[in-house]
Amino acid sequence: MWTDIMKRIKKEPVLAVSALCMFLSMLLVPPSGAYISYIDFRVLALLFCLMAVVAGLQRHGLFVRMARHMLTGKKGLRALFLLLILLPFFSSMLVTNDVALITFVPFAVLVLTLTGQQRSMIFVIVMQTVAANLGSMATPVGNPQNLYLYSHYHLSPGDFFGAVLPYAALSLPLLAGSVLLCPKKEVSVSLPENDTSLDKKKIFLYLVLFALCLLSVFHVFHYGLLLAIVCLALFLADRNLYGAMDYGLLLTFVCFFIFAGNIGSVSSVKALLQNLLADRPLLTSALASQVISNVPAAVLLSNFTDHWKALLLGTDIGGLGTPIASLASLISFRLYMKTDGASAGKYLGWFSLVNFGGLGLFLLLAFCLGC
């Protein structure tokens, strides 16, 4: 039994931490009917619907098929690396950073192996991870904390995009410039054919559902109706997808909703966090992300500040830094460690150099812009 518990904790470390925090907070604030008011059901419904739609598009091979068409043929090595890095950058804006990495890191491993570029594996995967975390900041659906903060503070599209787009725009030339570290040479990419044909009807269905998700995020379409439509569509067309959902993420949100609500009821802790956020909201949220990850940091700190822009940027920029600052970073690390000859030390060395450099640069930019 203890072995099973440890395996579960290793598989879902953030969920385990969030559950522990929730149970400890219950010692301060005993369970009551008020707990229900802590939970943001709109965010949970939107997360579930987005996960379902993206899982459907991923299962039916849309993303890999698109990447295959882009990469096959003769390519300059720099152009090849740039495509591999920018695929998660742009896709994360729509399908979240973790899904982008789950899809394109294994694809990059395949491409690099077939072209004999295994020595560049660490560089490409680290840059893919950074690209996914930076690209995901550009939209409300790019990562879970954006979706939560967009809903929590009732932001308008103008408010949100005005805050994040300067940083996302700067990310693109920085990522593109990184491939200048690679030598100039030409390689031929020949990927094995996938016999699975696209189910165009299901792809179309999921694209329509995704459009409804976006309308619901922007408060055009009610989330309750969206949830009903998505659940019905999955039941009728692809019911086995119910088993492919990341329910751990949903439970993590529930645990931190309760934890944050309980902490907000403790006057001394509330006063401390309010003081920290009043003085340095951007830095506080970025540093908190390094320790507890940016999604829990956003849920927790949003209860103690009205400085939504600093919190939004702090948790987005705070996805850079330590491997636990963003859940997506842990995903790519685990995928890399499954490759032949993987070296955790070399990977984490490159990862730390690039991530902490990026964290410092973007924090400096945010301070210069008066955030």
Side-chain angles (χ1 to χ4, degrees), residues 180-200:
L180 296 177
L181 298 172
C182 307
K184 281 187 176 181
K185 59 182 295 188
E186 193 174 78
V187 294
S188 180
V189 182
S190 179
L191 297 171
E193 285 297 324
N194 188 346
D195 295 332
T196 304
S197 60
L198 286 178
D199 189 330
K200 294 182 180 179

Side-chain angles (χ1 to χ4, degrees), residues 41-57 94-96 99 141 147 205-217 221-234 241-242 245-247 249-250:
F41 290 101
R42 180 177 186 273
V43 168
L44 294 178
L46 289 175
L47 272 175
F48 175 85
C49 294
L50 284 166
M51 287 192 299
V53 170
V54 170
L57 292 173
L94 297 177
V95 300
T96 74
V99 171
V141 297
L147 181 62
L205 169 65
Y206 287 118
L207 290 175
V208 171
L209 292 176
F210 184 72
L212 292 179
C213 288
L214 293 181
L215 291 175
S216 186
V217 168
F221 196 75
H222 193 274
Y223 73 90
L225 183 57
L226 171 71
L227 180 62
I229 291 174
V230 169
C231 288
L232 180 60
L234 257 63
L241 274 183
Y242 281 116
M245 303 295 183
D246 185 4
Y247 295 107
L249 179 60
L250 296 177

Side-chain angles (χ1 to χ4, degrees), residues 19 25 33 61 75 93 118 133 149 178-179 195 221 230 233 244-245 285 296 315 328 364 368:
S25 72
K75 296 281 188 298
M93 298 178 186
Q118 293 94 326
N133 284 328
L149 293 174
S178 70
V179 301
D195 295 332
F221 196 75
V230 169
M245 303 295 183
S285 54
T315 52
L364 179 61
C368 291

Side-chain angles (χ1 to χ4, degrees), residues 117-141:
Q117 300 300 317
Q118 293 94 326
R119 293 181 63 181
S120 300
M121 193 86 70
I122 290 177
F123 169 77
V124 171
I125 295 177
V126 166
M127 294 309 301
Q128 283 186 312
T129 305
V130 173
N133 284 328
L134 291 175
S136 67
M137 75 164 64
T139 66
V141 297

